Structures are given as structure tokens and as C-alpha cells.
Amino acid sequence: MWWKKNKVQEPPRELLNISTKSGQIASVENYNSFQTRAESSLKQVLDAIKLGIPQHEIKLSLHTGDFPTEQLIKGNFYYCCDKKEDLDFVFPDFIFDHWQQAGIPEFNKTVTEIKEAAEKKYIHSRMLWIGNTQTHPNRNKIIEYSEQHPDIIEAYNTYVDQAVSGKKDIPYISLIDHAKYKYLIDIEGRGYSGRIKMLLFTKRLLFIQDRQWKSYYHFELEPYKHFIPVKNDLSDLMDQIKFVEQQGEDYYNNITQNAYDFAVENLQYEKAVQRIQQLISNL
């Protein structure tokens, strides 16, 4: 086992080891990956291999946790990084396949439904955020803002997977229903954000809080072109909302269309698979 070769005392957490030979899968080892992250990532790798990879033996390790926890070494991949020069280590995340436990049974299907909802006029002229506040203290701040300004911000503290399964008496607002709101905001959790790529399809103005861990495409998003930036501590959130309100409808429509066009061009399952093929081929 690879973890023994690396002299690790215990099996690594959240790790998917894959080796190829003659351009096809030779072996797979999965250690403690959360929910179905390993299965979805493996599916993406298999589809990437179908596009063609080198015939020589290749070994790669995908760390399926929320952020890098080890030194970056060639052949090791993660779902995010914190600086642009490390993008060669970043895989498209498992959600490009599905995240059924969070109400995303199939990425392409969910995106199609979001795009259909995006063509309708929003119903609520407020900002929406819904998520688990236990994953980062900054998420508590959006709840506080919503209590102070309920006419401007609607926010809920919830475990999304439990809401989907009906285990808790809490509101559940699907990603499709996010399009009913004029403004959306993404706030960091334990690590990188898996939903930014889907929110970009909504044609609703997306506010993105500054954070350390970013998906590979995040570095291509431009503030005030694709989204509205917000400081990490959310201290300028109300000012940023006020600023946007003062700019008018054309400003709103221009940014939301830019975000939508970027998502359509770059954030499809097929594009994710192509990126994986390129990363594997470079090993």
C-alpha cells in the first residue's frame, strides 16, 4: 500500500490512489473518503482516460478532503489551492459528477434546471444564504446580518444533507430555488466552496467572500465583472449591497450575464474531464 511506502504510521484520511498502465486503470485504493467523493472522482478519472492518456505507468493520489493538508508534491492532487502558481495540483471536484447527499443527484441535470430557473424573473429582492454555520465562524456573521436587516438578507443555519433527507425541521432551499432571489452570497466553510460553480449559472448577482481556499476556476473570475467581492470578515457586505443598488439594472444584468457566460463556457462536466486528462497526461 502506498501509505506504507511513504512511512506513514496510519492509513491516510480522505485519499484516493489511482495507477494506470498502458493507458488504462491498473489499480485503485480508497482510504476514508467522505460520502461518495472517491466514487465520483474516480468516474471523472475514468472518463478522462477515455479521452486518451500516456501509455507509461502513472501513479496519482487525489486528496479528497476540503483543503490541502500536506506538502504539494507532483502526483498529488487536491480540490483547491490558495495561490495561482499551484493550479497544477488542483483537480475539478467530485460535485462535477454529483453530490446526492446535498440535493445534487447529477451535476449536469442540476445545472440544466438552474439555467431554466435563471430565465425567470427573481421573486425576492433580497440576498439569500443557507448553510451549516458550524463549518466556519464567518458564517455566523451572515445570520447576524439577516437578523439585523431581514428586509435585505435572508439567511438560514442548517445542515443541508439533513434537510434534504427530512431529518430536521428546517427550511430547505434548493440550488434551483436560489434563482428566486435577487442576490446570492457564497461564504467559506471548512475548505473550498463546491457551489460557486453552480451559483454562477443562476443569472443572479453573486457576492463572493474573500477566502484562502479556491477551486481552479476561481482564479479566472474577475471582481466586478463576474461577481461582487466582499471582505473575509464581511465587514463591507452592507456597503457592497448598497453600492450595487446604486448602479442600476444594467450594471446588475451585465455582471450576471458575464458570470453565466463564464459558467457555460468553462464549468461543464466535459470541461472538468478534459482538465483531468491534461493533469494526468502531464505526470
Side-chain angles (χ1 to χ4, degrees):
M1 295 183 180
W2 295 2
W3 58 270
K4 288 184 178 179
K5 293 179 182 178
N6 292 331
K7 299 180 180 180
V8 178
Q9 296 301 314
E10 297 179 357
R13 296 186 60 200
E14 303 175 305
L15 181 67
L16 178 65
N17 288 331
I18 300 173
S19 67
T20 72
K21 189 174 182 180
S22 301
Q24 55 189 336
I25 289 286
S27 68
V28 177
E29 297 172 320
N30 174 29
Y31 301 101
N32 305 313
S33 292
F34 183 59
Q35 293 177 340
T36 54
R37 293 189 180 194
E39 289 87 341
S40 287
S41 291
L42 179 58
K43 177 180 181 297
Q44 292 168 220
V45 170
L46 289 168
D47 285 340
I49 289 175
K50 292 176 184 177
L51 298 179
I53 62 171
Q55 296 295 301
H56 62 261
E57 184 178 10
I58 297 173
K59 289 187 177 183
L60 64 96
S61 295
L62 175 60
H63 298 256
T64 58
D66 289 329
F67 54 89
T69 58
E70 302 177 3
Q71 181 180 357
L72 300 181
I73 302 173
K74 188 173 183 178
N76 281 7
F77 296 99
Y78 305 84
Y79 291 140
C80 61
C81 65
D82 59 354
K83 49 185 181 295
K84 193 172 184 178
E85 50 266 39
D86 290 336
L87 283 175
D88 287 346
F89 297 94
V90 183
F91 248 54
D93 71 34
F94 65 99
I95 301 174
F96 276 103
D97 176 39
H98 79 82
W99 190 8
Q100 187 170 355
Q101 298 86 350
I104 306 168
E106 182 184 341
F107 178 77
N108 282 348
K109 181 177 183 294
T110 299
V111 165
T112 297
E113 293 174 348
I114 292 174
K115 289 164 69 176
E116 291 173 354
E119 296 307 315
K120 302 175 183 178
K121 176 74 174 178
Y122 56 79
I123 298 173
H124 309 294
S125 297
R126 299 189 296 277
M127 172 178 284
L128 174 69
W129 181 84
I130 185 168
N132 177 10
T133 60
Q134 293 184 355
T135 59
H136 200 284
N138 277 336
R139 292 185 164 196
N140 288 310
K141 296 179 181 179
I142 193 67
I143 300 296
E144 294 173 4
Y145 276 126
S146 71
E147 293 171 347
Q148 297 165 6
H149 309 279
D151 57 327
I152 299 175
I153 300 174
E154 187 174 333
Y156 299 100
N157 174 13
T158 179
Y159 293 93
V160 174
D161 55 348
Q162 292 187 0
V164 172
S165 61
K167 294 180 181 179
K168 297 186 73 174
D169 184 20
I170 49 179
Y172 173 66
I173 301 175
S174 70
L175 284 163
I176 293 88
D177 286 340
H178 275 55
K180 294 180 179 180
Y181 292 80
K182 183 177 183 180
Y183 300 125
L184 304 173
I185 184 169
D186 186 86
I187 302 173
E188 65 183 326
R190 183 170 180 268
Y192 81 103
S193 170
R195 58 179 157 181
I196 287 179
K197 57 182 168 291
M198 288 172 284
L199 297 179
L200 291 168
F201 283 99
T202 62
K203 289 190 178 181
R204 305 297 181 255
L205 195 58
L206 177 61
F207 291 65
I208 300 180
Q209 170 231 27
D210 186 37
R211 77 283 304 274
Q212 178 180 8
W213 303 115
K214 301 177 177 69
S215 301
Y216 68 95
Y217 60 84
H218 197 136
F219 294 90
E220 297 181 38
L221 298 174
E222 298 181 32
Y224 303 104
K225 177 180 179 181
H226 300 109
F227 70 97
I228 301 298
V230 179
K231 292 180 180 179
N232 180 263
D233 63 1
L234 304 184
S235 60
D236 64 341
L237 175 58
M238 301 309 298
D239 288 337
Q240 288 294 70
I241 294 175
K242 182 178 179 180
F243 164 77
V244 169
E245 287 283 303
Q246 293 172 340
Q247 305 311 305
E249 187 174 357
D250 288 344
Y251 184 83
Y252 178 98
N253 292 336
N254 183 53
I255 295 180
T256 57
Q257 188 64 49
N258 288 340
Y260 180 85
D261 291 343
F262 177 90
V264 169
E265 178 65 26
N266 299 286
L267 302 179
Q268 308 281 6
Y269 178 81
E270 294 73 18
K271 291 286 187 177
V273 169
Q274 289 172 14
R275 175 176 175 80
I276 292 173
Q277 179 205 23
Q278 293 170 358
L279 290 171
I280 295 175
S281 297
N282 288 336
L283 292 178

